[in-house]
């Protein structure tokens, strides 16, 4: 089975981590060190951004 591709680009994930205040952890230790809460916060923020973008596109 092939490796699953991520939905979010690496750059987008880094920007979210910076916005949410834990990029230092990612830059020092990698994505494997973030907590489930931090990962959930990233997903929640990504959904918010997508929803805002969809609203702008409809207007």
């Amino acid at each position: 089975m092939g490796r699953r591709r991520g939905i979010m680009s690496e750059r987008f994930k880094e920007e979210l981590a910076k916005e949410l205040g834990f990029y230092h952890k990612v830059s020092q230790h990698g994505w494997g060190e973030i907590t489930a809460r931090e990962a959930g916060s990233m997903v929640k923020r990504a959904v918010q951004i997508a929803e805002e973008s969809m609203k702008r596109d409809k207007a």
Side-chain angles (χ1 to χ4, degrees):
M1 189 180 266
R3 187 170 185 180
R4 185 175 163 189
R5 287 185 62 182
I7 295 172
M8 289 191 264
S9 72
E10 195 69 19
R11 182 174 176 212
F12 184 57
K13 290 191 301 187
E14 289 172 356
E15 290 300 318
L16 289 173
K18 288 175 186 175
E19 180 179 327
L20 297 170
F22 56 87
Y23 180 72
H24 65 283
K25 184 188 298 188
V26 172
S27 66
Q28 291 177 351
H29 305 288
W31 291 107
E33 293 298 313
I34 66 171
T35 65
R37 176 171 276 164
E38 290 166 336
S41 295
M42 285 181 63
V43 171
K44 182 177 179 179
R45 183 64 183 129
V47 169
Q48 289 172 340
I49 291 169
E51 288 174 341
E52 291 167 4
S53 177
M54 288 174 61
K55 285 179 186 176
R56 281 193 306 270
D57 289 348
K58 286 184 179 181

